[in-house]
Amino acid sequence: MFSMILKLQAFFERLKKRKALWFTTITALALFGILSTLYYLNSMTHRTTKNLYEATNTSYFNELDSKIGDSIFNLEIIGSMLLANPEFIAAINLQNNTTAMMEKLNTLDANLKVIAKNSVVIELYTKNFVKVASSSTTPVMTTEAYDLESLQKVVATNQPQSGIEYQDGQVFLKALYPTANGVLEIKRSADFLFDTYQTNGKIFQILLDRDVLDMKKLQAFKHQKVGRNEVSVQAKADGSFLNKITELDFDKIIADKYILSDDYFVLAKPLLNVDGKKVGVIVVGESIMKENGLPKMTKKISTGLTTAALGLVVALLVLMI
């Protein structure tokens, strides 16, 4: 070991005597040090940014699950209150008296809106899945039976069900209850989540798989093809955002937890129906140009760290030389 140190010292002494070779060696070592340090800093920044974005995926969707869970819970409370009301039970048991049921539903729904301050809709179905009454100001009424898994499950099990489901051109949060004559449904359009996220400078969209939609019936409602196999059906939608993400592979985004495009930071998670089957995807997006937004703040921080570290490395190398 001692002899090796002596040999190295002798080697450096010979290099110092040959000035050109000495400065070339020092310059090469300095450049190698700078490039190695920059590579390490960039890779470290990339890993840190990736971890931050993945953590954001968990944070965003935990918050979303909480919002959806709270909303469905409120619908379940409303359903329990209605079924505990003798007047309501008497009204919905008035077979072949749709007018009386509609009047009672509208009266109750008006009171509920004052309390809940949201667009709760109450609807009644026969055991054959035909809608016979609705408290909506613009109800979709038809004599055709609905082919909805939630209705079928309530009738088959005679147990309440709740979840997210597409119906009549919209995606709804629902709570359903069996009754003596059919099914009571309390629902709220998922569009309220679009407004909630928009207030915070983010974009919320629900996209449904084409395979679960009746494309002929869908033509009567607002819709837009997005992605490889998804369709936007929300009444409230960000057209610019949908156009920018139209070529994205959402299955890959779900697997990777996020994607950072030229325009948006995009997160996605599967949308499950009342049976736990994937029927679409929930997408949350944020413009990368938004001030105080996560993408821009992260880029500023990583650029600042890299620049500061590079300056420090260069200064140390100059002092050493």
Side-chain angles (χ1 to χ4, degrees):
M1 178 63 73
F2 183 71
S3 60
M4 184 178 292
I5 293 174
L6 290 175
K7 287 180 181 180
L8 285 174
Q9 286 179 340
F11 174 72
F12 284 123
E13 287 297 328
R14 288 196 299 272
L15 279 180
K16 287 181 179 180
K17 291 177 181 179
R18 302 174 64 178
K19 299 295 184 182
L21 182 58
W22 171 253
F23 284 110
T24 300
T25 303
I26 290 296
T27 302
L29 289 174
L31 289 174
F32 177 77
I34 291 172
L35 292 175
S36 298
T37 303
L38 283 177
Y39 173 78
Y40 173 76
L41 290 172
N42 284 332
S43 61
M44 181 185 68
T45 303
H46 176 74
R47 290 194 302 271
T48 302
T49 301
K50 184 175 183 294
N51 290 338
L52 175 61
Y53 284 143
E54 289 181 355
T56 300
N57 173 287
T58 302
S59 173
Y60 277 19
F61 286 122
N62 281 344
E63 179 187 15
L64 175 62
D65 290 342
S66 177
K67 291 180 186 297
I68 291 175
D70 289 346
S71 296
I72 291 178
F73 181 66
N74 288 335
L75 296 178
E76 291 172 345
I77 290 176
I78 292 171
S80 299
M81 291 171 58
L82 291 175
L83 293 175
N85 185 323
E87 292 184 23
F88 177 76
I89 295 298
I92 64 175
N93 285 333
L94 292 173
Q95 297 188 54
N96 302 320
N97 194 340
T98 302
T99 302
M101 285 192 291
M102 292 283 282
E103 288 178 355
K104 191 62 180 177
L105 288 179
N106 286 325
T107 301
L108 288 166
D109 191 50
N111 294 333
L112 289 170
K113 284 181 179 178
V114 173
I115 299 171
K117 295 182 181 179
N118 57 38
S119 51
V120 173
V121 175
I122 306 167
E123 296 187 325
L124 291 171
Y125 300 82
T126 67
K127 290 187 176 181
N128 294 322
F129 315 130
V130 176
K131 188 189 298 183
V132 292
S134 172
S135 67
S136 173
T137 54
T138 56
V140 178
M141 302 298 294
T142 174
T143 56
E144 294 183 11
Y146 279 89
D147 183 22
L148 296 175
E149 291 183 359
S150 60
L151 293 175
Q152 295 171 4
K153 197 166 184 179
V154 171
V155 171
T157 64
N158 199 38
Q159 295 294 323
Q161 301 292 330
S162 59
I164 302 176
E165 193 171 41
Y166 171 77
Q167 180 183 6
D168 296 334
Q170 294 188 63
V171 177
F172 290 97
L173 277 61
K174 294 183 172 184
L176 303 99
Y177 296 85
T179 66
N181 299 318
V183 178
L184 167 68
E185 178 183 73
I186 303 94
K187 62 186 182 182
R188 184 185 187 189
S189 172
D191 281 343
F192 82 93
L193 289 166
F194 179 90
D195 296 330
T196 300
Y197 276 83
Q198 188 178 53
T199 302
N200 297 322
K202 298 181 180 66
I203 303 164
F204 171 88
Q205 298 285 198
I206 288 180
L207 308 177
L208 299 179
D209 292 342
R210 290 170 59 91
D211 300 338
V212 304
L213 296 170
D214 185 327
M215 298 306 292
K216 289 184 178 179
K217 291 182 179 180
L218 187 65
Q219 302 308 311
F221 305 103
K222 178 183 176 181
H223 67 281
Q224 178 179 344
K225 185 180 181 302
V226 182
R228 295 183 177 182
N229 192 48
E230 289 79 23
V231 178
S232 170
V233 296
Q234 284 183 252
K236 294 184 178 181
D238 188 314
S240 176
F241 176 69
L242 293 179
N243 290 333
K244 292 289 185 179
I245 66 172
T246 189
E247 299 300 326
L248 296 182
D249 182 348
F250 291 102
D251 287 334
K252 187 175 187 305
I253 297 175
I254 291 171
D256 294 342
K257 295 189 177 180
Y258 76 95
I259 188 173
L260 198 62
S261 71
D262 294 336
D263 302 283
Y264 294 98
F265 171 49
V266 183
L267 306 169
K269 69 171 292 185
L271 173 67
L272 307 179
N273 66 3
V274 293
D275 284 332
K277 298 177 183 176
K278 180 178 176 294
V279 294
V281 60
I282 299 175
V283 180
V284 176
E286 185 175 4
S287 171
I288 62 174
M289 299 306 296
K290 175 191 160 191
E291 290 296 333
N292 299 323
L294 179 64
K296 200 163 188 179
M297 289 176 64
T298 301
K299 185 176 181 180
K300 285 181 179 179
I301 292 171
S302 62
T303 302
L305 287 173
T306 302
T307 303
L310 176 60
L312 180 60
V313 169
V314 172
L316 289 173
L317 288 172
V318 169
L319 289 173
M320 290 175 64
I321 294 172

